């Protein structure tokens, strides 16, 4: 991660799995971080989580001045957010809770602060309704583990100013992330909608007895997943079209899209299906605990990120060269 002459301070509201990921990410980039969470025992859990993530941040590279000592915990939202340039909300995924907390943040945040929600599905126009200054609010949706995965989806609502999105984009880049600005808000944003489509199809395949959970995982690990880590679905299919690329791909295989290979709606989540998925997942994990699997995943991601950056340092040119048009101007 690059050090800069001035690193913004960040406030994290909600210190669950996603909140802890944000804390580790910002600390590693040299930020001062203030966190708050009203849950009993939240501070102890938060500090354990950040300490567990820290070795992986060290492997990825720390900014100058990065330190765990720059983390402060407080019991109140007011104290946490009053001095922060960026405020990241990560409370439970319930509209009523998020709107109440965001209104509280908005009341106490400094005038030039950017307020962001990590929501995975709620639209920004919905969440900013109770804010007195909705123009400085946007969705900044990350992916678990936040401290390693660099993608963050930025989505403004109907009242969000373009300058808020631009400022947020710069801050997240300073934190070593790859911001993807989404110009049109939609439930689930982009990446989660894609993952949900695959998840629904995976459930159908298991439910219909076509393959086990382990076989579905293997199909991704040793097939599509290896390609997607570098190129994504569109570039993968572009290569599948040979010398003429996507032009030939769509001409040759486009008609097959009409074939009923996939199912759009999720299957009914019966008790039988739930048990199949649970038992299959536990069997796939074997004797390893979740903590051991997380450690293995993190070690893999560190190596994979190095490889991705070696072959494609800027996988999405739109992340850096997108048009600066004031599409969210209030």
């Amino acid at each position: 991660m690059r050090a800069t002459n001035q690193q913004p301070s960040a406030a994290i509201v909600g210190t669950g799995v996603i909140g802890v990921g944000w804390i580790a990410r910002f600390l590693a980039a040299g930020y001062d971080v203030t966190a708050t969470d009203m849950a009993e025992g939240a501070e102890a859990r938060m500090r354990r989580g950040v300490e567990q993530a820290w070795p992986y941040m060290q492997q990825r590279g720390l900014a100058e001045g990065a330190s765990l000592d720059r983390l402060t915990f407080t019991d109140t939202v007011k104290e946490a957010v009053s001095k922060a340039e960026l405020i990241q909300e990560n409370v439970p995924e319930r509209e009523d809770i998020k709107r109440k907390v965001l209104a509280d943040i908005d009341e106490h945040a400094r005038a030039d602060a950017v307020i962001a929600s990590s929501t995975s599905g709620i639209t920004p126009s919905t969440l900013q309704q109770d804010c007195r200054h909705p123009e400085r609010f946007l969705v900044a949706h990350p992916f678990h583990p936040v401290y390693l995965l660099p993608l963050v989806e930025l989505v403004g609502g109907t009242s969000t100013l373009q300058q808020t999105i631009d400022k947020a984009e710069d801050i997240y880049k300073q934190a070593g992330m790859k911001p993807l600005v989404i110009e049109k808000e939609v439930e689930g944003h982009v990446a989660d909608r894609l993952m949900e489509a695959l998840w629904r199809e995976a459930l159908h395949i298991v439910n219909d007895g076509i393959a086990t959970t382990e076989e579905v995982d293997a199909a991704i690990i040793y097939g599509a997943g290896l390609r997607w880590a570098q190129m994504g679905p569109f570039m993968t299919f572009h290569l599948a079209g040979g010398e003429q690329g996507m032009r030939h791909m769509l001409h040759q295989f486009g008609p097959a899209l009409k074939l009923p290979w996939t199912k759009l709606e999720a299957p009914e989540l019966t008790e039988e299906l739930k048990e199949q998925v649970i038992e299959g997942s536990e069997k796939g994990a074997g004797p390893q605990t979740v903590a051991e699997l997380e450690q293995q995943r993190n070690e893999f991601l560190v190596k994979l990120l190095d490889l991705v950056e070696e072959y494609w340092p800027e996988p999405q040119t739109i992340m850096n060269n997108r048009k600066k048009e004031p599409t969210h101007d209030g």
Side-chain angles (χ1 to χ4, degrees):
M1 296 178 183
R2 292 197 305 256
T4 61
N5 293 330
Q6 289 186 327
Q7 293 287 7
S9 57
I12 307 300
V13 179
T15 60
V17 172
I18 299 300
V20 164
W22 277 121
I23 292 168
R25 166 73 68 172
F26 286 127
L27 286 174
Y31 291 42
D32 290 318
V33 179
T34 303
T36 186
D37 194 312
M38 296 300 293
E40 185 177 351
E43 181 177 4
R45 287 194 298 273
M46 174 200 72
R47 294 193 182 277
R48 284 197 303 271
V50 173
E51 288 172 0
Q52 290 170 358
W54 199 245
Y56 304 107
M57 305 313 295
Q58 291 175 315
Q59 290 182 54
R60 290 289 294 157
L62 302 178
E64 183 178 353
S67 171
L68 292 174
D69 295 335
R70 299 179 72 170
L71 172 60
T72 303
F73 187 87
T74 178
D75 293 329
T76 68
V77 168
K78 179 179 179 180
E79 186 176 353
V81 308
S82 61
K83 298 180 181 179
E85 183 173 355
L86 174 72
I87 302 158
Q88 191 80 34
E89 169 272 311
N90 317 279
V91 299
E93 192 76 355
R94 281 180 46 187
E95 181 184 327
D96 57 338
I97 295 176
K98 283 188 176 292
R99 287 177 60 170
K100 181 178 180 181
V101 170
L102 287 167
D104 191 19
I105 292 172
D106 181 61
E107 180 181 354
H108 298 294
R110 70 192 215 193
D112 63 341
V114 172
I115 301 172
S117 174
S118 297
T119 180
S120 59
I122 307 174
T123 62
S125 291
T126 297
L127 292 177
Q128 67 187 179
Q129 290 183 45
D130 301 321
C131 295
R132 292 186 299 174
H133 303 285
E135 69 279 357
R136 59 181 177 172
F137 170 82
L138 79 162
V139 163
H141 173 233
F143 296 85
H144 178 60
V146 182
Y147 51 90
L148 288 178
L149 295 185
L151 181 64
V152 57
E153 297 177 316
L154 305 185
V155 195
T158 53
S159 298
T160 306
L161 288 176
Q162 183 63 46
Q163 66 188 52
T164 298
I165 298 173
D166 293 342
K167 184 176 180 180
E169 187 176 11
D170 290 339
I171 292 173
Y172 290 114
K173 282 182 178 179
Q174 289 178 35
M177 304 197 80
K178 299 287 188 182
L180 176 60
V181 177
I182 301 171
E183 300 293 346
K184 183 176 181 179
E185 59 182 309
V186 63
E187 291 85 354
H189 321 311
V190 172
D192 271 4
R193 291 173 73 93
L194 294 171
M195 289 188 290
E196 283 291 328
L198 180 60
W199 175 234
R200 288 192 294 269
E201 192 63 25
L203 289 174
H204 274 295
I205 288 172
V206 171
N207 190 54
D208 295 346
I210 297 168
T212 66
T213 58
E214 291 175 279
E215 290 167 341
V216 170
D217 284 347
I220 297 299
I221 292 170
Y222 301 112
L226 288 173
R227 299 183 299 190
W228 288 345
Q230 184 189 13
M231 294 186 172
F234 283 106
M235 190 56 65
T236 294
F237 281 129
H238 180 61
L239 268 62
E243 292 184 1
Q244 296 181 26
M246 184 63 79
R247 184 176 300 278
H248 176 71
M249 172 65 192
L250 292 177
H251 175 75
Q252 184 75 11
F253 299 103
L257 293 173
K258 293 292 185 180
L259 298 177
W261 284 4
T262 57
K263 301 180 180 180
L264 296 178
E265 295 184 2
E268 182 180 352
L269 200 58
T270 63
E271 291 301 316
E272 181 181 0
L273 177 55
K274 285 193 287 188
E275 285 304 312
Q276 279 185 279
V277 172
I278 293 168
E279 291 176 8
S281 300
E282 291 175 346
K283 181 181 178 183
Q288 294 175 292
T289 66
V290 170
E292 290 170 337
L293 288 169
E294 286 179 342
Q295 181 178 354
Q296 186 181 78
R297 176 206 62 197
N298 289 352
E299 292 171 354
F300 173 82
L301 285 176
V302 167
K303 295 178 180 179
L304 181 60
L305 283 167
D306 289 341
L307 188 62
V308 169
E309 291 171 1
E310 177 184 352
Y311 279 86
W312 207 334
E314 296 295 342
Q316 302 284 350
T317 55
I318 59 171
M319 292 180 178
N320 299 302
N321 299 318
R322 65 184 182 83
K323 295 180 180 178
K324 297 285 187 177
E325 297 176 351
T327 52
H328 301 281
D329 56 2

